[in-house]
Each structure stands twice: as C-alpha cells, then as structure tokens.
Amino acid sequence: MLELAIGIILGGCALGAGCAMIAGIGPGIGEGNAVAAACEAIGRQPECKGSVTSTMLMGCAIAETTGLYALVIAILLIFVAPNLLVNVLLRALGA
Amino acid sequence: MKQKSIGFIVADVIYILMMILPFLAAITLKVLTTPLSDGVEITGARIFFTIPMPIQDLLVTESQINSLCVMIALFGLCLFLTHGLKTKNISVRQHLAEWIVEKVDKLVNDSMGNYFMNFAPFIIAILALSAFSSFTCLIGLFPPTSDINIVAGWAVLVFILITYNKLKCGPVHYLKGFAEPVAFLAPINFISEFATPISMAFRHYGNVLSGSVISVLIATALQGLSNLVLGWLPGFLGEIPFLQVGIPAVLSIYFDVFSGGLQAFIFAMLTMMYVADGFPMEEYFARKKAKQDKQH
C-alpha cells in the first residue's frame, strides 16, 4: 500500500511537471511574432538594425518570463516536491 | 617613456592576484568538498555550514562563497584598471576604463534621463556582478545566479530603490498612484507592485538554471549515445565517451556566455526602466519650483 502511495506521488509530480511546461507554447508564439516584426523592420529600414535588434532581445527576454515561471514550477515538481511529499506521507503514517 | 617604479609593479601584481586567487580558492574548496559520484546529478548549491540564528538558521552555501569571490575579483579589476591614471600619454587600461565609463554614462543617460546620472555606478556594478557571476560556470564553479536567494537579494534591493524614488513626492502622492487609472483597480496595482521583484528574480534565475540543467542533460545523453555507437571499439577505447568532446562546449557558448550576458544586461535595463518610470518627474519639479518661488 505504501509503494502505491509513493508511486502515485512520483507519477503525479512528473505529470504535473509535464503539464506545467505546456506554458512553453505561449512565449514561443510571442517571441516568434516579435522576431518576425523585427525582421520586417530591419528589411524596411536596414540602418536601424542595431537598435531594433537590442529592443527585440529585450522584448523577447521579457516575453520569456511566463515560460520561465512554468519552468521553475516544473523543476520544483521534479527535484524538490517528491522528497517533500514522501516525507509528509511517512510522517502522517508514523503519527 | 619613463620606467615604472617597483611600487607600481608590486601594486599591479597584488591587484592581478586579487582577481585570480579567489577563483582558485573557490575551485579548491569545491574539489575538496564535492563527493565522488558517477552518473547525472543536478543539485542545488552545496551547504558548507550553518550559523545558528534566532529566527532561522543562516546557511553558508557555495553560491554565497562564489558570489563573494566574484565581488573581490571585480574589486581587484576596478583597482587594476584605474591604477596610475594620467592626463597625457594614457595607457591601454586607462583607455579601457574610460571606454567603460563613457558607455555606461551614455546608456544611463539614454534610458533614464539626465536627472539619474548618479545611478551609473550602481548600474554598472549590478551589470558586472550579474554577468561575471553567470560566467563563473565557465571555470567549473557553481554559478551564484542559478541560486534564487542571490538573485532575489538583488531584486529586493531594486524594489527598495523603486519605492524610494516613488516616495520622492511624499506618501500621499505614492498612495494616489495605486488608484490610477480608476480607483477600483487598486488591489491589482498593489499586486503588480510586488510582482516586479518576483518576476525580476525568477527571470534571471530561471534562465541561468535552465541553461545548466539542459547542459547536464545533453552531456548525459551524449555519453549514452557514445556508448551505444562506439561501444564496439576494443578495450578501453570503447569506454571513452568521444561524442562528449567539443559538442557541449558549443552549447555552452549559447547557454552560459550569451544567455548569462543577456540576462545581466536585461536585469540592468529593467532596473533603469522601473526606477525612471516610478519617479514622478513632473510633479517633483513642479513642487521644487513652487518651493523656490515661495522663498524668493
């Protein structure tokens, strides 16, 4: 019974991490749009290449934030949560 | 050209040692304290010892030690670059120092305006600290920026600066800022105020950490692949992971050098933007002018 409970915890953590990374779609689309617009701007005005590139990198990094929130949650679920939850379970059973 | 005096050379040697020795010490400490293990291992910062404190124990970790090493090395670099400043016949290092100062002044002037010129030293300090902290993983140390505690400390510092600049026109004006554009949005504005440091910390830490996690995963995958493809070679040749040579280094250029430098730049840019945006420029100067008119 204990093995089943621990298995459910580990499986739940892995599934949760996978689901969290669905958020990677959003920044991907957003950064793609940003780079497309930057390419268009450079094509129209090649002399502005430097400032357009730096502004685009800045915007991309900010658009990445939501993806990174998901990444942080996924990393916590994989590396931190299983230990924590199994300990909680063992303590509850021991009490 | 005049011969350099002995004192000058001795000071130079001391500064160069200040740049190199902390990293050597950190590498020695890491080699001595890391237990031998095989296989993939992704761990947080190693805890060296704990200092008992009333509320919570203070942990002294690898990231704090490495961060201090970077600070000492940067201090040595600054002393080295500004050693022996002259007005004529300037040396290469003085050219470099002047170039850095001019670039940073221009950056701060462009993105914050003339009023905030005294922010330039703080901006270059946080930029250099962040960039060199990320670059420490190039010599095999644990990068302090992939520990959220270090980056969150910087983000809290920036948050204090933002709030200080917002309070320049008094607490009433500060509280009124929450009711913009409509009064019932105040709770959301209040939350977004505290989301600023959290998002700054998570952005920097997440980027550096994801880079190191991906590097470790790819190195492990290449080892497995190399065993699979080249395992038929006779004797010990089959055990050497040839595919691991060179390929992780190419990825490291993106994940460590480019990403680390870009995140440092973005952290500095966001600091400038938030501080300059938070400062109520028109109101402040209007009040200052009114005060001066009253006195005359």
Side-chain angles (χ1 to χ4, degrees):
Chain A
M1 208 51 200
L2 188 65
E3 287 88 354
L4 183 64
I6 290 176
I8 288 174
I9 287 177
L10 294 182
C13 286
L15 270 179
C19 291
M21 285 316 290
I22 293 175
I25 295 173
I29 295 173
E31 284 179 29
N33 281 340
V35 177
C39 287
E40 214 171 282
I42 291 172
R44 210 179 294 136
Q45 282 175 302
E47 68 274 8
C48 290
K49 193 179 172 204
S51 62
V52 167
T53 311
S54 63
T55 315
M56 181 201 74
L57 282 178
M58 180 93 191
C60 278
I62 292 170
E64 229 172 38
T65 311
T66 50
L68 286 167
Y69 288 158
L71 178 88
V72 169
I73 288 171
I75 285 174
L76 286 180
L77 276 174
I78 291 175
F79 293 111
V80 181
N83 266 331
L84 212 72
L85 294 176
V86 169
N87 280 343
V88 167
L89 178 78
L90 291 180
R91 213 177 300 137
L93 286 181
Chain B
M1 192 166 161
K2 208 174 121 245
Q3 196 66 33
K4 282 173 187 165
S5 67
I6 294 183
F8 191 89
I9 294 170
V10 168
D12 264 6
V13 170
I14 291 173
Y15 297 152
I16 292 173
L17 284 180
M18 254 174 93
M19 282 186 259
I20 298 169
L21 282 182
F23 293 116
L24 287 181
I27 291 173
T28 320
L29 197 63
K30 174 160 184 165
V31 168
L32 288 180
T33 55
T34 309
L36 276 179
S37 70
D38 34 78
V40 54
E41 200 184 358
I42 300 171
T43 56
R46 203 166 296 285
I47 296 167
F48 287 133
F49 54 90
T50 57
I51 301 170
M53 283 276 166
I55 299 168
Q56 199 186 2
D57 284 355
L58 186 67
L59 305 177
V60 176
T61 60
E62 212 177 348
S63 47
Q64 283 162 353
I65 305 279
N66 289 355
S67 171
L68 276 175
C69 290
V70 172
M71 283 179 208
I72 295 170
L74 278 176
F75 186 48
L77 182 68
C78 290
L79 287 177
F80 178 75
L81 285 179
T82 56
H83 190 209
L85 293 181
K86 283 174 286 189
T87 48
K88 276 178 197 168
N89 280 334
I90 63 177
S91 54
V92 176
R93 66 176 94 158
Q94 189 176 347
H95 268 299
L96 195 63
E98 283 179 0
W99 180 78
I100 293 171
V101 170
E102 275 170 15
K103 280 280 167 197
V104 173
D105 276 355
K106 189 170 171 293
L107 183 72
V108 172
N109 198 9
D110 283 354
S111 46
M112 287 177 97
N114 205 19
Y115 179 78
F116 288 103
M117 277 317 280
N118 51 1
F119 260 82
F122 173 72
I123 298 296
I124 182 61
I126 210 157
L127 186 77
L129 183 57
S130 164
F132 282 96
S133 296
S134 299
F135 293 161
T136 49
C137 60
L138 292 179
I139 54 171
L141 292 172
F142 181 86
T145 40
S146 73
D147 186 338
I148 189 151
N149 299 315
I150 302 285
V151 189
W154 303 345
V156 168
L157 180 64
V158 171
F159 178 69
I160 292 170
L161 273 178
I162 295 169
T163 313
Y164 172 75
N165 272 294
K166 280 189 177 175
L167 280 169
K168 276 273 175 79
C169 279
V172 179
H173 189 268
Y174 173 67
L175 289 176
K176 230 189 265 170
F178 284 115
E180 300 278 333
V182 247
F184 70 86
L185 284 180
I188 294 174
N189 281 333
F190 194 68
I191 292 170
S192 75
E193 187 77 13
F194 286 100
T196 306
I198 294 173
S199 84
M200 278 177 90
F202 272 164
R203 182 179 302 121
H204 198 316
Y205 146 81
N207 263 298
V208 179
L209 180 70
S210 68
S212 52
V213 168
I214 291 170
S215 300
V216 171
L217 288 181
I218 284 176
T220 320
L222 282 174
Q223 192 179 13
L225 194 69
S226 153
N227 280 345
L228 199 71
V229 177
L230 299 170
W232 52 269
L233 286 172
F236 68 92
L237 279 177
E239 287 169 15
I240 300 174
F242 282 108
L243 286 180
Q244 252 182 348
V245 178
I247 299 174
V250 177
L251 289 164
S252 169
I253 290 177
Y254 176 76
F255 285 122
D256 296 336
V257 180
F258 179 73
S259 184
L262 185 68
Q263 287 310 312
F265 179 69
I266 282 162
F267 197 89
M269 280 299 278
L270 285 179
T271 305
M272 290 192 278
M273 261 169 52
Y274 283 132
V275 171
D277 278 358
F279 180 62
M281 185 79 83
E282 291 168 12
E283 180 77 18
Y284 182 75
F285 281 114
R287 285 189 188 195
K288 209 173 173 184
K289 196 158 176 290
K291 216 175 183 181
Q292 276 175 352
D293 289 349
K294 220 180 203 178
Q295 279 176 353
H296 288 303

